């Protein structure tokens, strides 16, 4: 893979120069904005989408509340697993950053001395986005668009080749989808247990507790239920 970066005649390098060349023609302030967005902004935006999906979904969720929340919990876990999987890949490929091999690039962020393939940012963002898509298509589609834009910015910044980003997208997608059945099998029982908790159940479903309060019903496991059961036993 490192050998591909040494020739300026391959499409990967040509596309790198084409995209990064936009940074040379852009105003300085715009490059600073792109630097912030590429380093922190888009990843933070995708995390906010995951939280928004959880907050809105827990108020509408019914019988599938636990499964929906389990799918959302899997999103950050998938991102973490994908980055861990990337560690040996980077060490095996050992592809230098593009600005170390090619001259004339506009590098917007300094201090990138690690290997280039696969892009951690692209891996993180796409794993989050695809796992979110599994949980909620509307939110997930928005996250995928942000992840793709984030990959473009990494090339714009001069810190990654296009194939670094594509590799990150592929890795994040594979981890989020292939490990999803195992993750759901482990996480769904946990979220169901949390849903039944009188104190933490709101983390999974607000509607269930609101409906119970409106009907004056007793939430299973609560002190009122225990007290009521004791009174019935005494009466008997």
């Amino acid at each position: 893979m490192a050998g591909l970066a040494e020739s300026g005649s391959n499409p990967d390098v040509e596309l790198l120069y084409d995209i990064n060349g936009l940074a040379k023609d852009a105003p300085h302030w715009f490059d600073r904005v792109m630097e912030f967005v590429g380093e922190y902004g888009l990843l933070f935006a995708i995390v906010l989408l995951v939280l928004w999906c959880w907050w809105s979904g827990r108020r509408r969720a019914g019988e599938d509340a636990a499964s929906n929340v389990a799918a959302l919990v899997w999103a950050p876990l998938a991102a973490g697993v994908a980055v861990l999987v990337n560690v040996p890949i980077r060490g095996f490929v050992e592809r230098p950053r593009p600005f170390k091999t090619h001259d004339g690039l506009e590098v917007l962020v300094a201090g990138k001395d690690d290997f280039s393939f696969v892009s951690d940012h692209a891996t993180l963002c796409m794993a989050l986005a695809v796992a979110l898509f599994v949980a909620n298509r509307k939110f997930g589609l928005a996250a995928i668009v942000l992840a793709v834009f984030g990959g473009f910015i990494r090339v714009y910044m001069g810190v990654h080749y296009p194939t670094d980003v594509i590799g990150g997208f592929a890795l994040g997608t594979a981890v989020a989808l292939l490990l999803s059945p195992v993750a759901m099998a482990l996480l769904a029982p946990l979220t169901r247990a949390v849903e039944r908790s009188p104190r933490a159940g709101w983390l999974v479903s607000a509607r269930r507790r609101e409906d119970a309060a409106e009907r004056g019903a007793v939430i299973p496991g609560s002190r009122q239920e225990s007290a009521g059961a004791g009174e019935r036993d005494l009466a008997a």
Side-chain angles (χ1 to χ4, degrees):
M1 181 65 70
L4 292 177
E6 296 176 357
S7 172
S9 62
N10 67 75
D12 194 22
V13 176
E14 291 176 358
L15 189 57
L16 165 68
Y17 274 103
D18 288 341
I19 296 176
N20 181 255
L22 299 174
K24 293 183 178 181
D25 300 329
H28 178 76
W29 65 265
F30 183 80
D31 283 346
R32 298 286 73 79
V33 170
M34 293 289 276
E35 175 189 346
F36 176 81
V37 171
E39 282 286 290
Y40 312 106
L42 288 176
L43 180 59
F44 182 66
I46 295 175
V47 171
L48 286 181
L49 282 177
V50 174
L51 293 175
W52 186 6
C53 184
W54 162 74
W55 184 258
S56 62
R58 60 182 280 277
R59 302 189 67 85
R60 297 194 307 267
E63 296 298 325
D64 296 331
S67 297
N68 292 338
V69 172
L72 292 174
V73 171
W74 169 235
L77 293 178
V81 171
V83 171
L84 290 177
V85 172
N86 189 29
V87 172
I89 294 176
R90 280 194 166 198
F92 176 76
V93 177
E94 294 185 345
R95 188 184 200 183
R97 293 280 183 171
F99 54 82
K100 292 188 175 183
T101 309
H102 302 283
D103 297 326
L105 292 174
E106 185 76 12
V107 183
L108 302 187
V109 57
K112 300 291 184 180
D113 296 324
D114 55 344
F115 295 120
S116 185
F117 186 92
V118 175
S119 168
D120 275 339
H121 274 78
T123 302
L124 270 171
C125 290
M126 190 55 73
L128 277 170
V130 172
L132 179 57
F133 182 81
V134 173
N136 186 293
R137 291 188 177 182
K138 180 180 69 174
F139 283 93
L141 184 59
I144 289 174
V145 171
L146 291 178
V148 171
F149 182 54
F152 172 85
I153 295 179
R154 300 304 290 177
V155 181
Y156 179 94
M157 293 166 61
V159 296
H160 280 294
Y161 295 94
T163 48
D164 297 338
V165 171
I166 294 172
F169 289 164
L171 177 59
T173 300
V175 169
L177 292 182
L178 295 180
L179 297 183
S180 178
V182 177
M184 290 299 295
L186 296 174
L187 293 173
L190 178 61
T191 54
R192 291 192 189 100
V194 172
E195 183 183 18
R196 292 192 295 269
S197 170
R199 293 187 177 181
W202 65 272
L203 291 170
V204 176
S205 177
R207 176 62 62 86
R208 173 176 172 270
R209 297 178 65 84
E210 289 172 357
D211 291 346
E214 290 175 0
R215 295 192 304 266
V218 177
I219 299 174
S222 64
R223 292 182 179 179
Q224 290 87 346
E225 182 191 41
S226 300
E231 290 174 1
R232 288 194 297 271
D233 291 341
L234 293 174

